[in-house]
Amino acid sequence: MAFPARTHVTKTFAELVKLLPANEQTKPQVMLVAGGVQEFRNDTDRELIFRQESNFYYLTGCAIPSSFLLAVYQKGTSLEKATLDLFIPKAELADIMWSVPPPSLDEAKDIFDATKIDHPAALQSTIETTLKAFPNALFHTLPKDSPLFPKLPSEYTDFALQSEGAAVTDAYLLSALHHARLTKDAFEIVQIRKANEISSRAHETVMRVLGQAVQGKIKKEAAAGVERPLLPSEWLIQTEAEAEAIFVASCRREGSIHQAYPPIVAASSRASTLHYCCNDKAFAWGPVKPHDHLNKNEVSDFEPQVLLIDAGCEWNNYAADITRTMPVGNGGKFTPEARAIYELVLEMQQKSFEALKPGVHWDLIHQICHHVLVEGFQRLGIFKSPTSPNSGSYNSASSILASGVPAAFFPHGVGHSLGLDVHDVPSTSKPTSNSTVPHHGADDESLYTYLRLRLPLEAGMVVTVEPGIYFSPHLLAGVRGSRHIDEEVLARYEAVGGIRIEDVVHITETGYENLTTVRSDVEWIESVCSGNA
């Protein structure tokens, strides 16, 4: 399936025209965009891994550094199917010596969905030809003074400004792109599904390595790790870094080039830090410490704990974003407290799934999670209820929600848009001016502070559903002594640290499709992590 660049350009122009004043909408519209350039580490010649800027890639499907795009559209004319001119760098001998060269122009014609392909040296003359054909054209660029986007050389926009009747603006294109990218077409769903399949297998690989170790099936010869390196079949997972290494290696073996974001691999209490990316600690050990003479370097010596892995790769620059929380120690089984919290988070996610369909506002999905959390905490005794000893109606579920206390345990939003970026199209997902936000009843507004998506769902959206429960000492400090909390019961659960479960879903015309394939039910997780599946 070829990258539908001209379809994406035309969709973006259609969104752009909606944003223009009425007197500008019928004018010829020209899009002029620079791709990313190869960057280097500080003041050295050491290349950093290149990944194309997302907006440029959406419009072109071109991952070649130092490329440019010029596209033309006019509403109500034959140009409603936009033209797309792509400019890719010419291969130079010095470049070929050091790296893989860009394709030739003839090769590029078979790769890219473009009207015309040339080298950047031809861009200025193409602008001149465009201005002759459309002297009153309105040129659109990404924000010109922003460090967030590749810099478009000023000579190109200056040349357009010299033409009488033409104008250049950076006020509309970014917003139009974010609106266009918010809903995905069939090609994009295929890429996101592939990224999720690869990432799902990587999550399962980590779990199965943990399970193999529980069963004592990871063997190594006496010389392993002494006279020769350990082979992958001999690797144990005893640290966060080792779990990350296996996850990333699994993705890379399947052809993924980039991780969509730095993996979060957090064991024990560190799982309460939402974006813990250090991944540099060993698992917590039990009574036998790692350097004691009685230690056999076996997973049976681990203190029971959870391992939270929030990680996903990219496929053709489209992201996956999956979180699984798994048991370590205790024979690959959750402790009773960890299992209770895990099952509650899973219930939060399942209730969210049941409500997903076009037209439902994302705030309401988030609200469902908080209501399930409060009711679950009351069942566990962490939150008091009206029938608790020395309690009353002030400990009703609605009163607890109105207090804002649940935000200390579930501080983040239930999910976000996902696509070419893991937190996709932020300006459209959470617009500054937003008339769609519903009334939340008596709920305290602090419950909704960190939502990254605040829109009604539409068919074609791809979103994450990622409820979590955390026992962060920093967040709990603000609610210590609350009349809604039974501190004695809470103390039994604090060692859990944090649990999050995250899947990627595609909103369809009638509901949703879960693109994440690795399972999350307790029975399966425990059977794999204990080596019994």
Side-chain angles (χ1 to χ4, degrees):
M1 185 183 291
F3 192 97
R6 292 183 67 188
T7 299
H8 287 182
V9 168
T10 299
K11 182 181 181 183
T12 303
F13 270 127
E15 292 290 345
L16 187 150
V17 167
K18 294 176 188 177
L19 302 173
L20 295 175
N23 64 324
E24 302 279 4
Q25 292 181 359
T26 57
K27 286 184 176 181
Q29 311 295 329
V30 180
M31 197 184 297
L32 187 55
V33 184
V37 299
Q38 178 64 63
E39 295 184 347
F40 300 85
R41 177 176 288 182
N42 303 327
D43 61 344
T44 76
D45 61 358
R46 179 67 270 156
E47 302 97 331
L48 299 177
I49 295 174
F50 178 77
R51 197 273 195 186
Q52 185 61 272
E53 194 273 326
S54 294
N55 292 297
F56 188 85
Y57 190 81
Y58 176 78
L59 295 169
T60 65
C62 176
I64 303 170
S66 302
S67 298
F68 295 90
L69 159 75
L70 187 145
V72 182
Y73 171 95
Q74 188 170 19
K75 185 178 179 181
T77 73
S78 60
L79 284 173
E80 278 196 315
K81 174 68 173 178
T83 63
L84 188 166
D85 289 5
L86 178 63
F87 301 86
I88 62 173
K90 184 178 180 180
E92 302 292 346
L93 181 59
D95 297 325
I96 295 172
M97 181 175 69
W98 290 105
S99 58
V100 177
S104 68
L105 295 182
D106 286 338
E107 291 170 334
K109 289 172 184 175
D110 294 329
I111 299 172
F112 301 112
D113 178 24
T115 310
K116 187 178 79 172
I117 299 178
D118 211 330
H119 296 309
L123 177 54
Q124 189 150 326
S125 63
T126 303
I127 294 173
E128 183 178 357
T129 301
T130 302
L131 285 167
K132 287 179 180 177
F134 308 104
N136 65 331
L138 184 56
F139 280 71
H140 299 272
T141 70
L142 290 172
K144 63 179 182 178
D145 295 322
S146 172
L148 303 177
F149 306 103
K151 185 173 179 61
L152 182 68
S154 59
E155 60 259 30
Y156 298 130
T157 52
D158 290 348
F159 189 76
L161 287 169
Q162 292 170 12
S163 176
E164 186 176 349
V168 179
T169 177
D170 63 357
Y172 305 105
L173 180 55
L174 180 60
S175 180
L177 275 161
H178 281 192
H179 278 88
R181 288 171 51 193
L182 182 65
T183 55
K184 277 65 181 178
D185 56 34
F187 174 88
E188 294 178 286
I189 297 300
V190 169
Q191 313 312 307
I192 297 170
R193 181 181 287 112
K194 178 75 170 180
N196 273 271
E197 290 169 351
I198 293 171
S199 301
S200 290
R201 287 189 286 270
H203 277 279
E204 183 173 341
T205 297
V206 174
M207 294 183 210
R208 290 196 177 278
V209 172
L210 288 170
Q212 290 278 300
V214 169
Q215 294 291 330
K217 294 179 179 179
I218 298 179
K219 305 293 186 182
K220 60 182 180 179
E221 299 172 358
V226 181
E227 297 177 9
R228 64 165 177 82
L230 294 172
L231 301 177
S233 61
E234 299 168 319
W235 290 353
L236 290 171
I237 300 177
Q238 298 178 319
T239 69
E240 296 160 346
E242 289 167 345
E244 178 186 6
I246 287 178
F247 182 93
V248 174
S250 181
C251 295
R252 197 69 184 94
R253 288 186 70 254
E254 294 204 43
S256 171
I257 298 172
H258 305 288
Q259 292 293 299
Y261 52 98
I264 298 164
V265 185
S268 189
S269 60
R270 294 179 293 280
S272 68
T273 300
L274 302 183
H275 282 183
Y276 175 89
C277 295
C278 305
N279 307 348
D280 62 351
K281 299 292 190 295
F283 295 163
W285 292 74
V288 179
K289 300 301 181 184
H291 300 295
D292 288 353
H293 72 282
L294 296 175
N295 168 44
K296 299 177 182 178
N297 201 37
E298 294 177 352
V299 296
S300 58
D301 295 321
F302 287 141
E303 179 181 301
Q305 63 204 280
V306 299
L307 174 63
L308 185 155
I309 301 181
D310 183 339
C313 72
E314 290 187 344
W315 186 257
N316 289 336
N317 290 346
Y318 283 88
D321 186 0
I322 302 170
T323 305
R324 288 294 179 266
T325 308
M326 58 205 74
V328 172
N330 199 38
K333 306 286 187 179
F334 290 111
T335 64
E337 292 78 13
R339 184 183 178 114
I341 299 302
Y342 188 98
E343 289 177 336
L344 180 53
V345 174
L346 195 61
E347 182 184 356
M348 292 161 70
Q349 190 189 51
Q350 291 299 325
K351 293 296 184 183
S352 298
F353 286 158
E354 292 170 10
L356 294 177
K357 63 181 180 180
V360 174
H361 201 284
W362 193 244
D363 279 38
L364 299 181
I365 305 299
H366 186 73
Q367 185 177 53
I368 287 169
C369 287
H370 270 291
H371 283 235
V372 172
L373 183 152
V374 170
E375 292 167 5
F377 269 25
Q378 287 182 318
R379 290 196 304 270
L380 295 174
I382 298 172
F383 284 165
K384 298 175 184 177
S385 64
T387 57
S388 299
N390 303 314
S391 182
S393 60
Y394 57 84
N395 277 322
S396 67
S398 59
S399 296
I400 295 173
L401 288 161
S403 73
V405 168
F409 299 91
F410 176 35
H412 60 78
V414 67
H416 49 80
S417 181
L418 178 135
L420 283 167
D421 291 297
V422 68
H423 295 157
D424 211 33
V425 295
S427 71
T428 296
S429 293
K430 188 178 181 178
T432 304
S433 178
N434 190 354
S435 61
T436 72
V437 175
H439 180 59
H440 301 130
D443 293 1
D444 189 82
E445 285 302 309
S446 66
L447 305 184
Y448 302 86
T449 300
Y450 293 105
L451 277 167
R452 287 191 170 96
L453 177 63
R454 304 205 73 171
L455 295 173
L457 293 171
E458 297 178 48
M461 281 184 173
V462 175
V463 298
T464 65
V465 181
E466 51 175 306
I469 293 175
Y470 312 89
F471 299 93
S472 164
H474 308 290
L475 296 177
L476 293 182
V479 295
R480 295 287 187 193
S482 168
R483 64 179 181 173
H484 302 304
I485 296 175
D486 186 318
E487 296 287 347
E488 186 175 334
V489 177
L490 172 61
R492 299 206 307 267
Y493 288 90
E494 288 187 58
V496 172
I499 288 174
R500 180 163 66 251
I501 305 170
E502 177 181 20
D503 290 16
V504 174
V505 301
H506 168 216
I507 304 301
T508 65
E509 295 288 348
T510 56
Y512 74 97
E513 173 194 9
N514 193 333
L515 302 178
T516 300
T517 57
V518 61
R519 288 171 58 178
S520 56
D521 54 286
V522 174
E523 291 73 17
W524 184 84
I525 293 279
E526 289 192 334
S527 66
V528 172
C529 291
S530 64
N532 291 314

